[in-house]
């Protein structure tokens, strides 16, 4: 599958089968995160691969999180290590690239997963303090996003893009100058 097919197959999946992910496929999609670019190649990240069902259930319940996270066989918490990140985004010496770097790696995951027939859903709305406590994430490390990873509950969840869900081409591209 080429990258355009993977982009077309990536949809936010919010219902999963509990079927396990074969280890070789899991390793392959995780390795796509390892290969992601990062500012000054700092790789200021750590990815928690949560497979323990009891742990996922207790964290989701304790943190009042979105319950579809509990359906997939794997949940990934993408963490950014603040003091490893390059600083200087946009010429601002204190602006950290940590969220940008982790988000690029997470985007690799979403596309690699789609190429392997797996679903993901970027979850950015969660109680970070609660998740950090439950997952033993230390000070100075952020959880940038969560995603379930698993086989979609139904093939219908991988539907073609509904054009109404995206801005028009001409609305978002302009030539030479901002217009
Ligand atoms: C930064 C970010 C945060 C998001 N947070 C959530 C979330 O908390 N819960 C959720 O169900 N979807 C979340 N999404 C998924 C978006 O709703 C989804 O990507 C968007 O509606 C487009 O749909 P699609 O991914 O199926 O193309 C998030 C996406 C991004 C990029």
């Amino acid at each position: 599958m080429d990258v355009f097919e993977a982009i077309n197959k990536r949809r936010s999946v919010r219902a999963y089968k509990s079927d396990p992910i074969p280890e070789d496929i899991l390793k392959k999609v995780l390795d796509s995160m390892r290969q992601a670019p990062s500012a000054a190649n700092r790789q200021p990240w750590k990815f928690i691969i949560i497979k323990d069902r009891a742990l996922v259930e207790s964290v989701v319940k304790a943190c009042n999180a979105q319950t579809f996270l509990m359906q997939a066989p794997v949940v990934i918490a993408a963490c950014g290590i603040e003091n490893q990140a390059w600083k200087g985004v946009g010429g601002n010496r204190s602006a950290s690239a940590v969220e940008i770097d982790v988000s690029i790696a997470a985007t690799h995951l979403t596309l690699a997963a789609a190429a392997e027939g797996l679903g993901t859903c970027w979850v950015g709305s969660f109680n970070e303090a609660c998740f950090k406590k439950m997952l033993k994430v230390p000070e100075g490390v952020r959880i940038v996003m969560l995603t379930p990873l698993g086989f979609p509950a139904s093939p219908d969840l991988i539907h073609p893009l509904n054009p109404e869900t995206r801005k028009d081409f001409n609305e978002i591209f302009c030539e030479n100058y901002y217009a």
Side-chain angles (χ1 to χ4, degrees), residues 92-106:
N92 175 349
R93 286 172 57 181
S94 63
S96 164
V98 72
E99 288 192 8
I100 298 171
D101 292 341
V102 173
S103 295
I104 295 169

Side-chain angles (χ1 to χ4, degrees), residues 39-55:
N41 199 25
R42 294 282 182 87
Q43 304 162 69
W45 48 48
K46 176 83 97 174
F47 307 107
I48 309 175
I49 313 305
I50 313 165
K51 294 179 179 174
D52 182 326
R53 304 312 313 144
L55 175 62

Side-chain angles (χ1 to χ4, degrees), residues 57 70 108:
E57 279 191 24
M70 289 194 284
H108 274 212

Side-chain angles (χ1 to χ4, degrees), residues 44 56 99 168:
V56 169
E99 288 192 8
D168 281 338

Side-chain angles (χ1 to χ4, degrees), residues 99-178:
E99 288 192 8
I100 298 171
D101 292 341
V102 173
S103 295
I104 295 169
T107 300
H108 274 212
L109 170 73
T110 62
L111 295 177
E116 291 296 330
L118 292 166
T120 54
C121 182
W122 193 300
V123 172
S125 175
F126 60 92
N127 181 338
E128 188 187 359
C130 181
F131 269 81
K132 278 184 65 166
K133 192 167 169 218
M134 298 287 293
L135 299 176
K136 303 183 179 173
V137 176
E139 280 295 305
V141 178
R142 299 274 324 274
I143 303 178
V144 176
M145 62 84 79
L146 306 166
T147 181
L149 180 67
F151 293 101
S154 149
D156 304 344
L157 296 169
I158 306 298
H159 51 79
L161 180 72
N162 173 356
E164 285 175 16
T165 67
R166 292 299 189 271
K167 291 182 178 177
D168 281 338
F169 196 94
N170 291 334
E171 188 183 343
I172 64 168
F173 297 104
C174 48
E175 272 185 38
N176 298 324
Y177 295 101
Y178 192 99

